[in-house]
Amino acid sequence: MTYGGFMNIFTNDESSTGDRMNSYMVAASISKGRMARENPLSAAALEAVEASDIVVVRDIYDHVEQVLEALDVPFQAVAIEQFEQVALQPEQLLIINCPGHISSRDVEKVRSFVESGGTLFTTDWALRNVIEPAFPGVLEYNEHATADDVVRIEIVDSNSPYLAGVLETGDDPQWWLEGSSYPIRILDSEKVKVLIKSKELGNKYGEDPVAVVFPQGKGEVFHMISHYYLQRTEFRSDRHHMEASVLAAEKNISLDDETTAFMAGLKLGDVESAESSTRFIANIVADKKRKQSQS
């Protein structure tokens, strides 16, 4: 089992690696505290995750594993060139980072894994490199790459277990679009469910889905535009410029002394976007673990 370093994250100007790390440490503490209060069964499932439950395929552009590390969730990590040697099991969650250049043989392995009951999570260019060849006729890149940009996001289905606590009334998280991110065109609207969208994304780049999910055989596939680690945000309101401690107070979460120290110098806008993305992956991991336990 290996872990990555921490991700780049949200600022209007360059910040130190320490500040970026601190934002996600605080976000993870808030997310786990809220999950324990709002959904104890999911919180217990998250705590029960073992390294064998999650396989992360490392790649050069995205680092979803670093969100797992912030949440203190164990996982197995393999380099992209070692993926063909990995034996997947249906009870696992497989995360393939952008760009996801896997071989045609591995595309077949991914398809078989999902159809047997596995859960797949991919980001950005993996849309073309993994999703299109493995599951043709479901999603595709619309050939209109984004600029380096930041957009507001909206929840589509507030009753989805994957979106519990991701976005509440009054929240205003921003989602960073990597330059040359791939907008998601839905080809099978009956099969695909949009979880998170952005009107700004749709207006600028032709497609508004930010995060989608679809069933495939006995399994399930999640895909998100851009990188899961976010390099920057835009502070668009006075609220975004407030101290990060305000967000913890809004969520009614008491933080320990160590986490409180991480908040020093951070703004609410830094941590709010990190908390939304952290809670989303925590929900997916917890849901997979609960299903595994029930099978």
Side-chain angles (χ1 to χ4, degrees):
M1 175 175 60
T2 59
Y3 293 92
F6 244 86
M7 64 216 69
N8 297 325
I9 170 180
F10 337 103
T11 62
N12 291 329
D13 49 29
E14 293 186 3
S15 66
S16 68
T17 300
D19 284 346
R20 295 191 294 266
M21 181 184 296
N22 291 350
S23 294
Y24 262 86
M25 292 297 289
V26 174
S29 292
I30 294 174
S31 291
K32 292 176 74 173
R34 293 179 60 210
M35 182 180 278
R37 181 182 65 213
E38 299 160 4
N39 195 331
L41 291 178
S42 290
L46 191 69
E47 290 296 323
V49 170
E50 300 176 359
S52 58
D53 294 328
I54 304 173
V55 176
V56 177
V57 181
R58 294 187 186 277
D59 217 331
I60 57 175
Y61 294 141
D62 201 0
H63 306 284
V64 181
E65 66 272 17
Q66 295 170 4
V67 184
L68 299 178
E69 185 177 12
L71 287 163
D72 199 26
V73 171
F75 57 90
Q76 306 171 64
V78 297
I80 188 76
E81 59 270 16
Q82 299 172 328
F83 180 51
E84 64 181 22
Q85 303 168 23
V86 177
L88 299 173
Q89 303 299 324
E91 62 270 17
Q92 291 176 318
L93 167 64
L94 171 65
I95 297 172
I96 301 180
N97 283 301
C98 175
H101 286 297
I102 61 176
S103 69
S104 58
R105 181 182 299 177
D106 284 338
V107 166
E108 293 297 325
K109 180 168 72 173
V110 168
R111 180 189 298 117
S112 177
F113 162 74
V114 174
E115 291 181 343
S116 298
T119 298
L120 172 67
F121 186 100
T122 59
T123 62
D124 213 17
W125 289 5
L127 175 60
R128 167 129 307 165
N129 298 322
V130 180
I131 301 299
E132 289 185 19
F135 314 104
V138 182
L139 304 172
E140 70 176 8
Y141 167 39
N142 76 344
E143 305 293 344
H144 187 186
T146 71
D148 183 311
D149 206 346
V150 175
V151 295
R152 281 192 169 93
I153 60 173
E154 303 101 42
I155 294 301
V156 176
D157 180 8
S158 60
N159 294 319
S160 170
Y162 305 125
L163 299 175
V166 172
L167 189 62
E168 298 181 313
T169 302
D171 291 349
D172 187 23
Q174 314 297 303
W175 195 259
W176 172 63
L177 302 174
E178 169 72 55
S180 297
S181 286
Y182 288 180
I184 305 164
R185 176 179 290 150
I186 296 172
L187 301 178
D188 190 339
S189 59
E190 293 186 2
K191 186 172 188 175
V192 178
K193 185 173 186 177
V194 178
L195 297 173
I196 302 172
K197 68 178 183 178
S198 168
K199 293 178 182 178
E200 288 185 61
L201 176 64
N203 290 336
K204 291 180 177 181
Y205 305 108
E207 309 290 343
D208 64 10
V210 171
V212 300
V213 62
F214 62 89
Q216 184 71 30
K218 297 179 181 179
E220 183 167 56
V221 177
F222 294 86
H223 180 73
M224 298 193 72
I225 190 174
S226 195
H227 298 169
Y228 204 74
Y229 73 87
L230 307 180
Q231 289 190 352
R232 67 184 183 92
T233 195
E234 292 176 356
F235 294 167
R236 297 184 175 183
S237 68
D238 290 341
R239 179 175 173 277
H240 286 156
H241 287 278
M242 292 180 178
E243 297 300 316
S245 58
V246 174
L247 183 65
E250 287 181 354
K251 304 302 181 183
N252 195 26
I253 295 296
S254 297
L255 302 176
D256 59 28
D257 291 343
E258 182 180 16
T259 306
T260 299
F262 290 146
M263 283 197 298
L266 298 178
K267 298 301 182 182
L268 183 150
D270 292 323
V271 179
E272 183 175 58
S273 295
E275 205 262 328
S276 293
S277 59
T278 300
R279 182 63 183 271
F280 182 57
I281 197 68
N283 288 342
I284 292 172
V285 171
D287 184 80
K288 181 63 175 180
K289 184 64 177 180
R290 289 181 65 181
K291 288 176 179 175
Q292 178 197 113
S293 301
Q294 293 167 0
S295 62

